[in-house]
Amino acid sequence: LTDLGSRLAVHYIVRGPRRVSALRFNKIIFIESHNDLRTGMRLAEDLPYIGISNDLEIPIEYYDVFDKSEFFSRLNQLTVEAQEGTLFPILQIDAHGHQDPDGFLLRSGELINWQELEEPLRALNIAARCNLLLVTATCFGAVANSTIGIANRAPFWAAVGPAGEIAQGDILDSLRRFYSALLAQESPQSILNSLEASELRFVTAEWFFIRYYRYLVNELNPNIPASQVEFENFLNHFFMTDLYPENADKFTVTFEGAGL
């Protein structure tokens, strides 16, 4: 298996100096469920050639699923593989996005809402040692991020998805640029720049952690001053440093840098 381990880091900004969070992955997986333009299938066909042209033969897997049972069964299989220590995935979900309620529609006509998906994603991310990069090739896919809190484990390392409606052709072109930059092992800023002209947004779990901790201390408990001990307790649980001590070096969120 190809493992980019220490070779890829993606930047995020938290009110001050640019920080770095490292991503480790060794496989790109597509789970698709719609009848229109097969974005996932087309990318799965293209990426091996892009990888080879960059001297990086990353394994690609593509799954066409019909209903919720098949979808969640596939996620569970990925989690089992990750628990065995052999999988650090980039996971792309391709389906028709749905705004009210928030989620996406499978070919069966069944709706999976983002809250329903959060726990299976969390199980996969825990197994992958907080290295899951989630790509939602669905309209309103960025909504997948909206249910994250900091009292539980992070459901992904980072997520890429559109904030609103987006044409399937635009998703295909934007993600082809993104994966090309990723597999070419371009600089972190160049990888992010590949999404600049698109409707896709890239957000790390670290950004969400800071956002929700600020919300916790500034709005939910405004009479209780922010505490470094409390902050670090949340941080260690969310980023799993209690399970994987090496994550203490992987993530760079600090109480001082949070601007509280």
Side-chain angles (χ1 to χ4, degrees):
L1 293 178
T2 303
D3 185 353
L4 295 188
S6 61
R7 285 187 282 163
L8 178 68
V10 176
H11 291 174
Y12 77 100
I13 299 174
V14 181
R15 282 194 188 174
R18 181 166 291 170
R19 310 281 184 177
V20 175
S21 170
L23 171 67
R24 181 183 184 190
F25 71 91
N26 60 7
K27 189 177 291 185
I28 302 174
I29 298 162
F30 297 88
I31 300 181
E32 188 161 58
S33 185
H34 60 60
N35 294 314
D36 299 333
L37 179 65
R38 295 297 187 93
T39 304
M41 182 175 68
R42 293 177 68 177
L43 285 171
E45 292 172 347
D46 290 347
L47 292 194
Y49 298 101
I50 295 173
I52 290 172
S53 68
N54 289 287
D55 196 27
L56 183 65
E57 297 184 40
I58 189 82
I60 309 293
E61 291 182 1
Y62 171 83
Y63 302 100
D64 182 20
V65 303
F66 178 72
D67 57 19
K68 290 178 75 168
S69 175
E70 197 174 351
F71 180 89
F72 284 112
S73 176
R74 179 58 59 188
L75 272 187
N76 183 64
Q77 290 173 11
L78 296 178
T79 301
V80 170
E81 186 178 347
Q83 288 170 339
E84 294 171 349
T86 58
L87 176 64
F88 298 94
I90 295 175
L91 172 63
Q92 178 170 320
I93 297 172
D94 291 77
H96 281 299
H98 198 282
Q99 188 176 21
D100 188 20
D102 295 321
F104 55 92
L105 292 168
L106 303 178
R107 279 196 293 126
S108 63
E110 295 170 289
L111 174 76
I112 295 179
N113 63 57
W114 294 117
Q115 287 184 320
E116 184 179 7
L117 184 60
E118 185 176 345
E119 195 54 42
L121 288 178
R122 179 175 290 111
L124 176 55
N125 193 38
I126 292 171
R129 297 173 175 257
C130 204
N131 284 288
L132 173 62
L133 173 56
L134 174 68
V135 180
T136 52
T138 73
C139 291
F140 314 105
V143 176
N145 310 327
S146 63
T147 62
I148 296 176
I150 61 172
N152 213 323
R153 308 289 191 182
F156 45 70
W157 169 81
V160 177
E165 294 185 5
I166 185 171
Q168 288 296 312
D170 290 342
I171 288 183
L172 178 61
D173 292 341
S174 300
L175 288 178
R176 186 179 282 121
R177 289 195 302 271
F178 173 72
Y179 284 120
S180 295
L182 193 69
L183 297 182
Q185 302 173 64
E186 295 183 9
S187 70
Q189 193 59 54
S190 294
I191 293 170
L192 294 184
N193 289 346
S194 71
L195 298 174
E196 267 192 356
S198 75
E199 296 297 320
L200 300 178
R201 301 293 177 264
F202 186 107
V203 187
T204 66
E206 297 178 16
W207 184 88
F208 276 98
F209 180 86
I210 294 296
R211 177 187 176 188
Y212 283 106
Y213 189 76
R214 287 174 180 162
Y215 174 75
L216 175 68
V217 299
N218 293 332
E219 298 188 38
L220 289 184
N221 296 317
N223 296 320
I224 302 175
S227 159
Q228 181 164 354
V229 172
E230 177 189 64
F231 179 90
E232 291 180 354
N233 286 339
F234 276 118
L235 181 112
N236 290 333
H237 186 73
F238 189 75
F239 292 117
M240 311 172 199
T241 59
D242 55 333
L243 300 178
Y244 311 115
E246 67 272 18
N247 280 6
D249 297 323
K250 174 182 174 67
F251 297 99
T252 59
V253 174
T254 64
F255 182 73
E256 294 79 10
L260 298 166

